[in-house]
Amino acid sequence: MNKEKRKLVYCDLGLIDYKDAWDLQKSVHQLSVENKIDDVLFLLEHPHTYTLGKTADKENLVGDKKYLDENKISVYDIDRGGDITYHGPGQIVGYPIISLTNWKQDTHKYLRSIEEVIINVLKEYDLYGTRVDKFTGVWLEDRKICAIGIKVSRWITMHGFAFNVNTDLKLFSGIIPCGINDKDVTSLNRELNKEIALTEVKEKIIHHFSTEFSYDQIEFKSKVELLSLIS
């Protein structure tokens, strides 16, 4: 008996406002609940944004209103797990909206697999990404390079990962990233001492994501094509 083939729809949203991307995630999640769409992976960038997860400590937002206004940073309380994190240009954000029922109904395994995707991308740049006990995400020694925060509803995922590529790390100073105050954040740019093309990194993410989650086929859709499925 042939195993049913798995297909992933990939959509590059470019630079998109956080709220717009969140609304799009919710719409695609509902389509997935109704079994009207294949698994989807969004890769994108956000303007300067701080997001606080469901269990975030508000004290971890240390930048005051003046700091937020001067740096044009938006702040959102959202429905993912985890504490506070930063999103901004030069950071690749990934939002997989995939059915764990059709993969493995195990949120712990899902988190570890997202980490594995980023660890395998880092290997291609001769960087050794690791996990740190008690903290979700990917690290280079004690420097965090990728934050992960998810929501799973009806065994379908939302939210995802934030991978620092050419990220302006100064803007992490307005928060205590993920509520961890004794570790640093880093980026590919900082580690390799050169700017890396986001398109190159996205290709590596797509490759390792499709391998880790056993997809046989990748279908590329534009934002316009995807929105036509929702309207």
Side-chain angles (χ1 to χ4, degrees), residues 195-206:
E195 190 160 307
I196 309 297
L198 294 186
T199 51
E200 173 186 301
V201 182
K202 286 175 182 177
E203 287 174 1
K204 296 181 189 304
I205 291 172
I206 295 163

Side-chain angles (χ1 to χ4, degrees), residues 50-53 56-58 60-62 75 80 82-86 174-179:
Y50 293 147
T51 64
L52 295 93
D57 184 344
K58 305 287 187 185
N60 290 329
L61 174 57
V62 296
V75 180
R80 61 160 171 78
D83 205 284
I84 190 168
T85 195
Y86 163 75
I175 62 173
I176 299 174
C178 303

Side-chain angles (χ1 to χ4, degrees), residues 91-135:
Q91 178 192 74
I92 296 178
V93 176
Y95 294 138
I97 303 177
I98 69 175
S99 170
L100 297 185
T101 301
N102 296 331
W103 182 66
K104 297 169 186 174
Q105 285 189 334
D106 185 334
T107 54
H108 179 80
K109 173 63 176 170
Y110 173 66
L111 286 168
R112 302 294 79 77
S113 288
I114 293 292
E115 291 168 345
E116 192 67 19
V117 170
I118 302 303
I119 287 169
N120 285 329
V121 171
L122 290 170
K123 282 179 184 174
E124 298 207 38
Y125 294 98
D126 295 320
L127 294 171
Y128 181 59
T130 61
R131 298 177 176 88
V132 173
D133 288 344
K134 301 180 186 175
F135 299 129

Side-chain angles (χ1 to χ4, degrees), residues 215-231:
Y215 290 104
D216 306 286
Q217 180 184 354
I218 301 174
E219 180 181 352
F220 295 85
K221 282 190 182 294
S222 68
K223 180 182 175 183
V224 172
E225 288 173 322
L226 203 63
L227 287 172
S228 70
L229 298 175
I230 296 166
S231 58

Side-chain angles (χ1 to χ4, degrees), residues 25 41-44 92-96 149 158-163 205:
Q25 282 191 78
L41 172 64
F42 292 116
L43 294 182
L44 55 119
I92 296 178
V93 176
Y95 294 138
M158 279 183 61
H159 301 291
F161 61 87
F163 182 27
I205 291 172

